[in-house]
C-alpha cells in the first residue's frame, strides 16, 4: 500500500483494510464516505493526518481510515488531541466524538479545547443516544426519551451542542446531516481551512436505538422548508422555492417572512455575528427550519500558534547543567 | 553526636507567614553552603495561604541541620529556635531540645499577640520556659532604630526583621555576610528596600558583637562536610526533578511536554519548568489531571515524551488513562509528589501512602514500573531513569517522590552529563510489514513495540485501549490472544527486571537484622546508622519497587528480622510479603511528619527484643 | 447554641464557631458577611440549609456557617449537591465554587447541573486565579496573565463564566461584586427565590495573588460609568447621573447613547431575553460598562421536581420478593 | 459425568445478532426451569452492537447446561450446538465436544455466507466435520412453508426461525410447549406475529416427531435437580443485584439513590432498577462516573443511601471520591461488574482483574471493605450485606461481581424477607454535645460516627475530605491526631472483621490441598469437585476479601498446598501472601472466558506433582 508516490489519492486510498463494523444502515457509514471524499478532495497527506477519538460507536471511526489514528478513552479525545497538536503542529488533527463521549463525560475537555482555540477539528456525531452501550438516553436526548435507563421517559433537559460550543467561546461552529454529502463535505472543508478549533455537530441516525429522531428535519419527507442552509453574505432563505425568509422581530425574536414579497427584511447571514448565531441555534424547530452549514466563524489567535512562537518549539539551546553551574554554587577542591 | 567530625547544629526559624521565615532560612542555608557545611533543610509551611497575623495556624517554620559529614535529615529537635512572635513560640516549642536555645522577638509579646496565640500569661516572664536557654531580642525596636532615618513606612521597616535575625545568626555561626549583601542588592529592585535590608542585616550582625556577653549570645561551631571535589549547589527536590527531566531530554534527544494541573506539593515542579525555556521541555497547564495525563499521552503518541505530575488525589484521577498508555504501549512518566491522605487529607504534609495506589491502583492486570526517589538531589536521577525506562520499554512509569523531598534542600555536586547513568535506548530496525503491523514489531530484548511517529510516511497505524492482536495490533477479542497480550505485558516487566542494576546494601555489617526502606526515609535512616553507635542492622534501600531488583529475594533471604519503616500503615511491608511470602516487621508512622533519628534508633534497638 | 426556638435569627446566628482563615483583606470575607445577612433576612432555617463546596479558598466557605456543610473534592460540588437535593428536595442547597474549581476541573458538572436545572444555587467566586495553590493562572485569567506556571504570560483565552452558563442552558444567570452588599444581597435573594439552578458569578478580589484585577470596574475610582446595574423592565442606564444608556445598533452590536437626549433608544432590560443576555455578557469592557445584577432569568421545569413527581419520592409500596413471586416461577414441594 | 443423578446436557445456540439466539436460549431455559431441571446459562455476546449479517464478529451465542444436581457452570464444551449460519458454525465449533451433535440451518450455507464466514468450501459437504454428528435442517424453508399463508413479509417470516428451533429442541428434550405459547401470546402485541411464532414453534416441534428416524434426531434426557421445597425463579445476576438492593431498602428502611453512568457489563443493573418503582430505590443517570459517585455521596450525606455501579475504567474514575466517602465516613456502596482489562480491554468479556484496584486502588491509607459475589443469585445477598456494612460502619463498601455473573442465570429459591441474614444496625444514642461534635460521636462497638441528616435541628455540622479532629470533626493538621484518625480507620475494619461470620470450608475432606477461590469461579470449582471423582482437595471460597474473616489465617494454616485459581494474573494469590506471608500456588487464566471443569480438574490432579 505504498501511496507515497501517488500524486493523486482517491477516496479509497484513505480507507484502511479493516472491515467496517457499524450496524447496517447506521448513519456513520455515510459520514465515513464523505470524509474519505473530503480527504481526497483536499489531498491531505495520510501521514500528516491524525484521527483521535474517545469511546462509542462513532469513536471507531479512526480504525477505518488509513491515516494515523488513536482510539483513546471515553470523553478524553480533545485532551489527547491537544497533546498531539502541541507536540507536532504540522499534523492535521481531527477529533471524532459522540454526544455521550463529547457532551456527557467529556464536556469539560470539549469546552477547554474550544476556548483555547487549539487548531483541531472536532466532529460530534449526535445521534441523541448512547449507541455502543445499547441505547440509554444521552445529554442531547429530548425530554421524555424512553430508553433502558429511562423507561418512563428522561427528565433531563438536553444541552444543544452548538450553543454549548458558543458558550465555550468556539471560533467555528457548524452543523450538518450525515447523509448530506454536499453540506457535510462543505463543512468539513471549511473546518479544515479554519485556523483554530472547529466544532461541527453532525446529525447522525442510529438506526438501532434511535431511528428517525431527526426525520422531521433530515428525512426525505421533511423537505426543504425544514432546512435553512446558511451561506455567508447571503439572505437566509429556505423552502423548496426559497420562498421563505428568516427575519428578526423588534424584540430580537425570529419571524418568517415571505421572501418573494419582503426580501429586504430577510436577514443576511453573517458568520461573524455571535448574536445571529445564538438566534439560529435557538430556533424552535417546531415552527422554524433547522440551521445547517457554518453558523458561526470568527478567527482568533490559536493556542498552539502562541505556544510554539513563544515557547520556541521544544528547541534545546542550553545544557541544564550549565544553567545549574551558572546559579549559586560553591567549589570543593 | 559521637565525634567532633559529626558536630552539627539544628536550627529552626518560626514566624508569621508574613515574617519572611522561608527567605531567612534559605539565605542562611546559602551561607552554610558557602562555608562548605553539610546541610539538610525542611520548610514547614502553614496549611493556610496567609492566615491573619499572630494566629497559630498562620505560623510558618523552616528547619535545617548544618555541619558534620553524615547528616541527611533536617534533624529531630532543634538546638536553636528563632521565634518571631508568641504564636511561633507556642507552636514550635515542641520541636526544641531540652535546654535548647530560644531566641525571641520580645517586642511582639504584647497582650494581644499573647492571647491570639493562646497564652494566658507571658511565657517570657512566668518561668514556664525554665528548661530552655532564653535570649530575648528587641528585634522590632532594633530595626526601627537602625532604619530611623529611612523613607520607608513603618510596615516596610518591620518587614526587614528577618534580615536582622539573619545578621545575628550569621554572627553566631561566624558566617561571612558579604554574599548576602550582594544577593540583597540583586534581589530588590527598589534601592531603598535593599539598603534597608542590608542595614538591618548589619545591625543584627553587630548586635551579636556588642551584646555577646551581656545577653549570653553563644558562638556556635559546626564541622565541615567531607565533600568530594566538584562544583556544588544547594538543590531543592522540586527543582532537581525539573532539572532531571531537562537532562533526560539532553541525553535522549527527545523533547518533553510536561502536562500538569496545579496541586500541593507537586506544583513547584511545574513552576520550575515553566521558568526555563530552551531546554527542550515545554509545560502545558491542563484543565484537570485527566486532561493533563491525556495530553501527555497525546504528545507521546505524536512522538515526543509526555510527562505528567500530581499528588495523590490527582493521581487517582489519572489511573484510567494510565491503563490507556499501558495498553497502547506509549512511553509516559507519571510523577507523584505524595502528601498526607486519604482524600484531601493533609495537603501540606508529607507521607508515603500512595505506594499501593502506584503498584496496584488500576483496573485490569496493569503492570507499570514504579521507582522512588530517596532525597532532593535523587529526584534528578530518578527523573532521568524514569524517562529512559519509559522510552526503552514503551511503557508508562510511575515515579514516586513526596512533599518532604520536594521542599527539602541539600548540597549536591553538579554532575557532568557523561557521569549520569544511562540505559541503552534500543531502536527497532523493522522488517517489511504492512504499515499497521510495523508499529507492533517488538524489540526482542525489551519486548517494546516500535515507536512510530505521525508524520512518518507509509507507517500509519491505529491503536487504542481495546485489546490488540499480538502481531498486527488490530482489535482482537480472541481468548488466546488476550492471554498472550497479558503475558506480554508481564514479560516486559521481567525484561526490565533483568535490566535493572543489582540491588546493593546501603550498609552491610553482616547483621542478622535488616532495615528495608524506600523513598524519603533514606536520609534519616542513614543518619541514624551513621551517627548512633552500635546499631545492629544492615540497610537496604529500594529505588526500584516494581519490579523488585532481580537479586532482591536472595539478598534479603539471610536476614532473621526485616524492619520496614515507612510513613504509611505498612504498605511496603505487605508488598514485600506478597512478593516474597516472607514475614517482615512493619514500622509505621502516619503523622504527616518525617521520621526522626530517635524514632528509628529506638526501633532498631528494640529489634533485639522482638522475636 | 440552641437557636431552634429563636424566632428571629440574626446574621451572627448563622456564623459557626470556626475562626475564619482567609488572608486578611480577601474578598471572601465580604461575601461571607453578605451571605449571613441574606440568610438572616430570609430567615432560612439553619437545619434546612446545606452549603456544598469543592476545593479552593472559596470552598472553605461552608466551615464558617452554622448550617449543614460539606467541603467535598475539587470540582465536584455540583454533582454532590445534585445528590443532596435529589435525596431531600426540602433542603435549600447552595454550591460554593471558584473559577478553578467550577470552570477548570469542574466545568462539566457545572454544565450538567445547569442544563438539568436542578434547584440549587451556584455561586462562583471568580478571582481569575487559583488562590489556594498559590496563584497559578485559571481558566478565567486574562490572556497574558503572569503567574508561577505562566511566567511569560498565559496563552489560554479565558472562558467567560456567565456566557458558559448561557451556553449550558442555565435558567438564571447573575453577576455581582464581592464588596457590593446591596447588589450581591439582591442577587442572593433572587437566586434563592428562583426555582431551578441559579448561576451567580461573584467578582472576588484575591488580595495576595491577583490584587486589583477588577479595579477597572469595581474599584472606587472606577465609578458608576463602568457599572451597568440591571433592573428588569427598566432602561439600561449607567453613569453617575444615569446619563448614559445602552442601545443596539442595526447589526445588533451595542452602542452607548446619551440617555438625557435619546431615552427612547435605550434598551429596556428584559431578563427573559437570551439575545440581550448574550449581548450584555459580550460587552467589551474597555469601551462599555460591565453588567451586574440578574442578567438572565427564565424559569423552566426543574429536574428534581419531575424526579420527585414521576418517581414518587423513594416511596416503598411493594416488597421486592412479591414482585419476584409474581414473575415466572415454579414450585418445588 | 459420574452417575445418572448427574446427567446433564450442555447446549449452545449460535447465530447472527439478529437471529434471536438470546431469546431462544432464555425461553429454552424457562422450559427447563418448569420441568425442574437444574441449569446455568451464559450468553456470549458479540463485541459489536449489530455487525453486518453473516459476519463472524456479529455472531451471538448462548450456552446453557441443564440437568443434574451439581451443575453450577454453563459447562465446558457443548453436547449440542445449534448454528444458524456458517459464521456461527465456524466461530463456535471450538466449543463443541468431540463427536458432539451439531444442528445447522442448511439454508444459510450459501456461497455468499460461506465466504463471509471465511469458508473456502462448504463444511457440510466437504467432510471436514466428520468427527461430529451433523443434522442438517432446512429451517428457513420450513418456516417459509409453515407461514406461507400469513400476511407477514419475507424478513418477518425469516425472523421466526428461532421459534422453530425452540420447538425442535423442546421436542428433543421432551418439554411441554404450552407455556411458551402462552408467553408468545403475551409478549407480542401484534397478533400476526405471535400467531406466526406459535406456528413455527409447533412446526419445529412436529419436525422432530416426523423426521426423528430419517434424520436421526435424538431424544435427550437429563436428570432433575435436587431442590429444597420452595418457590423458584430463574435469576439473572444483574437482576439479582437490583433486587438485592431493593430488599436492602426493605430491611433497613433506608431508601437508596442508585447513581450510575452506563458501561458494559454494569448497565443492566441500572436498567433493572429503572424499571421498578415503588421499591424505595430511585435511579439517577449521571453525566459520568465521577458525578455518579459524587451524587451518591451527596445522597448519603443527605441521609439516604447512595449506591453507585460501574466497571473497571469507570471505577478508576471513582477512586478519588471513594476517599472522600471514607474520610467523611459516609455509607456508600460501590459495585464493580468486572470485565476484561487493562484499559478499555475486552468490555464484553469476563475477568476478575479489578481485585487489586478494589483493595489498594486509592491515594493515602484508605481501607475500604471489599466483598465479592460468587454466583448470579449471590448478587442478591451480597448487595444486601454491602448495604448493611456500609450503614453499620459508616463506610464505603466495594462489592465485586463480574460480567459472567451479571449475564448468567440460575434457578433460585425466592427467600422470605425473614430468612435473609441481617446485621444488627446500631444507632448511637448521643450525649450532650455541640452540634458539630455530635456527628463525630462514635458507636463503641463499630467505631462508626453518628449519621446526622440535614433537616435535623440543632445538629448542623460541617465535614469534608481534609483530616478531621478525632473528637470534634473540625479540620486538624495536628500530627498526633492524624495518626489517631488513621488508626481509627483501620480499627473500624478490625471491628468489622470481628462482626463477619466465621469462614467455612465449602468442601472439607481432610485433604492437605486447598483450593482457595473468590468470586464467580465458585460454581465451576464446586461442579468440578462434585462431579469428578477422587479429587484430593478441600475448598475455601472467600466472600469477604477485605478484611479477611477472623479465622482465615488459622483455617488455611494446616494446608500443605494452596491453589488459587482466578481469572487474572494472580492478584488474590499475592494478596493472600501479603496478608499471611504464606506461599500459595497461583492458577491464573486471562482469556476473557470463565474456567472450565476440565481446566480446574487438571490443576487439582496436577497438585500431587507440585512440591
Ligand atoms: C469511563 C467509561 N465510562 C463508560 C464507558 C461506556 N461507554 C462507552 S461508549 C458510551 C457512550 C457512547 O455514546 P456516544 O458518545 O453518544 O457514542 P455513540 O455510541 O452513540 O456513537 C459509554 C457510556 C466507557 N467505555 N468508559
Ligand atoms: C483533584 C485535585 N486537583 C488539584 C487540587 C489542587 N487545588 C486545590 S484548589 C485548586 C484551585 C483553586 O482555584 P479556585 O477554584 O479558583 O479557588 P480559589 O482558591 O481561587 O478560591 C487546586 C488546583 C486538588 N485539591 N484536588
Ligand atoms: S448502535 Fe446505532 S450508532 Fe451504533 S453502530 Fe449501530 S446504528 Fe450506528
Ligand atoms: S489566596 Fe487569595 S483568594 Fe485565597 S484567601 Fe488569600 S486572598 Fe483570598
Ligand atoms: Mg451517541
Ligand atoms: Mg480562584
Amino acid at each position: 500500500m505504498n501511496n507515497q508516490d501517488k500524486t493523486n489519492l482517491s477516496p479509497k486510498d484513505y480507507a484502511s483494510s479493516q472491515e467496517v463494523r457499524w450496524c447496517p444502515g447506521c448513519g456513520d457509514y455515510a459520514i465515513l464516505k464523505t470524509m474519505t471524499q473530503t480527504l481526497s478532495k483536499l489531498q491531505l497527506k495520510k501521514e500528516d493526518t491524525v484521527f483521535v477519538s474517545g469511546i462509542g460507536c462513532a469513536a471507531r471511526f479512526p480504525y477505518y481510515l488509513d491515516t494515523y489514528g488513536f482510539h483513546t478513552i471515553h470523553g478524553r479525545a480533545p485532551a489527547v488531541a491537544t497533546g498531539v497538536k502541541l507536540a507536532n503542529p504540522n499534523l492535521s488533527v481531527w477529533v471524532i466524538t459522540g454526544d455521550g463521549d463529547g457532551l456527557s463525560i467529556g464536556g469539560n475537555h470539549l469546552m477547554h479545547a474550544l476556548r483555547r482555540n487549539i487548531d483541531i477539528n472536532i466532529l460530534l456525531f449526535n445521534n441523541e443516544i448512547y449507541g455502543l452501550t445499547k441505547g440509554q438516553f444521552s445529554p442531547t436526548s429530548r425530554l421524555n426519551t424512553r430508553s433502558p435507563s429511562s423507561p418512563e421517559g428522561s427528565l433531563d433537559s438536553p444541552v444543544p451542542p452548538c450553543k454549548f460550543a458558543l458558550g465555550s467561546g468556539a471560533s467555528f461552529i457548524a452543523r450538518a446531516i450525515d447523509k448530506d454529502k454536499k453540506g457535510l463535505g462543505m463543512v468539513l472543508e471549511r473546518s479544515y481551512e479554519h485556523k483554530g478549533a472547529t466544532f461541527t455537530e453532525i446529525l447522525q441516525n442510529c438506526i438501532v436505538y434511535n431511528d428517525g429522531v431527526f426525520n422531521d428535519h433530515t428525512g426525505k419527507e421533511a423537505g426543504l422548508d425544514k432546512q435553512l442552509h446558511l451561506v455567508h453574505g447571503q439572505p437566509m432563505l429556505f423552502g423548496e422555492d426559497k420562498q421563505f425568509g428568516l427575519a428578526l422581530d423588534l424584540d430580537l425574536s425570529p419571524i418568517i417572512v415571505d421572501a418573494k414579497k419582503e426580501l429586504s427584511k430577510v436577514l443576511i447571514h453573517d458568520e461573524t455575528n455571535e448574536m445571529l448565531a445564538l438566534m439560529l441555534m435557538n430556533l424552535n424547530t417546531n415552527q422554524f427550519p433547522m440551521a445547517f452549514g457554518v453558523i458561526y466563524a470568527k478567527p482568533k489567535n490559536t493556542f498552539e500558534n502562541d505556544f510554539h512562537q513563544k515557547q520556541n518549539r521544544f528547541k534545546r539551546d542550553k545544557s541544564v547543567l550549565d544553567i545549574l553551574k551558572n546559579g549559586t554554587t560553591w567549589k570543593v577542591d | 553526636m559521637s565525634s567532633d567530625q559529626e558536630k552539627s547544629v539544628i536550627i529552626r526559624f518560626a514566624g508569621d507567614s508574613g515574617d519572611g521565615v522561608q527567605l531567612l532560612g534559605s539565605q542562611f542555608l546559602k551561607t552554610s553552603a558557602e562555608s562548605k557545611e553539610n546541610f539538610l533543610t525542611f520548610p514547614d509551611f502553614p496549611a493556610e495561604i496567609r492566615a491573619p497575623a499572630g494566629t497559630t495556624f498562620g505560623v510558618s517554620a523552616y528547619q535545617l541541620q548544618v555541619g558534620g559529614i553524615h547528616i541527611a535529615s533536617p534533624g529531630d529537635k532543634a538546638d536553636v529556635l528563632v521565634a518571631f512572635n508568641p504564636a511561633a513560640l507556642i507552636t514550635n516549642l515542641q520541636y526544641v531540645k531540652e535546654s535548647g536555645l530560644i531566641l525571641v522577638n520580645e517586642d511582639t509579646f504584647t497582650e494581644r499577640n499573647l492571647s491570639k496565640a493562646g497564652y494566658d500569661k507571658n511565657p517570657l516572664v512566668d518561668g514556664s520556659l525554665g528548661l530552655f536557654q532564653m535570649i530575648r531580642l528587641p528585634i522590632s525596636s532594633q530595626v526601627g532604630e537602625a532604619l530611623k532615618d529611612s523613607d520607608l513606612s513603618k510596615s516596610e521597616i518591620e518587614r526587614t526583621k528577618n534580615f536582622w535575625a539573619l545578621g545575628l545568626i550569621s554572627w553566631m555561626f561566624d558566617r561571612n555576610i558579604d554574599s548576602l549583601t550582594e544577593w540583597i542588592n540583586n534581589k530588590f529592585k527598589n534601592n531603598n528596600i535593599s539598603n534597608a535590608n542590608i542595614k538591618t542585616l548589619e545591625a543584627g550582625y553587630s548586635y551579636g558583637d556588642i551584646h555577646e556577653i551581656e545577653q549570653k549570645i553563644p558562638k556556635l561551631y559546626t564541622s565541615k562536610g567531607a565533600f568530594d571535589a566538584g562544583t556544588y549547589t544547594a538543590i531543592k527536590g522540586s527543582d532537581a526533578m525539573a532539572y532531571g527531566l531537562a537532562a533526560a531530554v539532553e541525553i535522549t534527544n527527545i523533547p518533553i511536554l510536561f502536562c500538569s494541573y496545579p496541586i500541593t506539593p507537586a506544583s513547584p515542579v511545574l513552576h520550575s519548568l515553566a521558568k526555563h525555556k530552551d531546554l527542550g521541555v515545554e509545560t502545558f497547564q491542563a484543565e484537570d489531571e485527566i486532561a493533563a495525563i491525556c495530553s501527555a499521552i497525546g504528545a507521546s503518541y505524536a512522538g515526543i515524551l509526555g510527562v505528567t505530575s500530581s499528588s495523590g488525589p490527582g493521581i487517582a484521577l489519572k489511573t484510567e488513562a494510565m491503563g490507556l498508555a499501558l495498553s497502547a504501549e506509549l512511553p509516559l512518566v507519571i510523577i507523584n509528589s505524595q502528601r498526607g491522605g486519604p482524600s484531601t487529607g493533609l495537603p501540606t504534609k508529607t507521607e508515603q501512602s500512595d505506594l499501593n495506589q502506584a503498584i496496584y491502583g488500576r483496573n485490569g492486570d496493569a503492570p507499570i514500573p514504579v521507582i522512588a526517589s530517596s532525597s532532593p538531589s535523587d529526584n534528578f536521577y530518578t527523573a532521568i531513569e524514569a524517562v529512559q525506562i519509559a522510552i526503552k520499554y514503551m511503557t508508562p512509569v510511575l515515579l514516586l517522590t513526596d512533599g518532604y523531598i520536594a521542599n527539602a534542600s541539600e548540597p549536591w555536586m553538579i554532575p557532568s552529563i557523561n557521569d549520569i547513568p544511562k540505559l541503552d535506548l534500543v531502536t527497532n530496525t523493522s522488517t517489511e510489514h504492512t504499515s499497521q503491523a510495523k508499529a507492533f514489531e517488538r524489540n526482542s530484548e525489551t519486548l517494546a513495540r516500535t515507536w512510530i511517529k505521525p508524520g512518518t510516511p507509509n507507517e500509519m497505524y491505529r491503536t487504542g485501549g481495546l485489546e490488540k492482536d499480538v502481531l498486527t495490533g488490530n482489535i482482537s477479542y480472541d481468548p488466546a490472544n488476550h492471554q498472550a497480550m497479558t503475558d506480554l505485558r508481564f514479560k516486559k516487566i521481567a525484561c526490565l527486571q533483568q535490566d535493572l542494576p543489582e540491588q546493593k546494601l546501603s550498609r552491610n555489617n553482616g547483621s542478622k537484622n535488616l532495615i528495608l526502606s524506600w523513598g524519603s526515609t533514606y536520609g534519616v535512616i542513614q543518619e541514624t546508622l551513621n551517627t548512633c553507635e552500635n546499631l545492629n542492622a544492615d540497610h537496604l534501600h529500594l529505588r526500584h519497587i516494581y519490579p523488585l531488583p532481580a537479586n532482591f529475594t536472595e539478598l534479603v533471604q539471610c536476614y532473621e528480622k526485616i524492619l520496614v519503616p515507612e510513613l504509611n500503615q505498612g504498605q511496603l511491608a505487605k508488598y514485600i510479603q506478597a512478593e516474597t511470602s516472607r514475614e517482615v516487621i512493619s514500622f509505621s508512622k502516619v503523622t504527616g511528619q518525617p521520621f526522626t533519628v530517635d524514632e528509628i534508633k529506638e526501633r532498631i534497638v528494640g529489634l533485639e527484643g522482638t522475636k
Side-chain angles (χ1 to χ4, degrees), chain B residues 435-455:
Chain B
S435 68
Q436 167 75 20
K438 200 156 176 181
F440 296 89
E441 279 172 34
R442 295 184 183 281
N443 177 281
S444 59
E445 189 189 315
T446 61
L447 297 182
R449 74 167 182 89
T450 311
W451 193 7
I452 305 275
K453 302 171 190 185

Side-chain angles (χ1 to χ4, degrees), chain B residues 25 32 57 59 104 107 127 183 212 224 247 278 323 404 438 441 457 485 492 542-543 609:
Chain B
S32 304
F57 50 84
V59 173
V104 296
D107 295 340
W183 180 86
E212 174 177 9
K224 305 277 175 240
D278 304 327
Y404 168 73
K438 200 156 176 181
E441 279 172 34
M485 284 300 289
K492 251 196 197 183
L542 281 174
R543 167 196 220 73

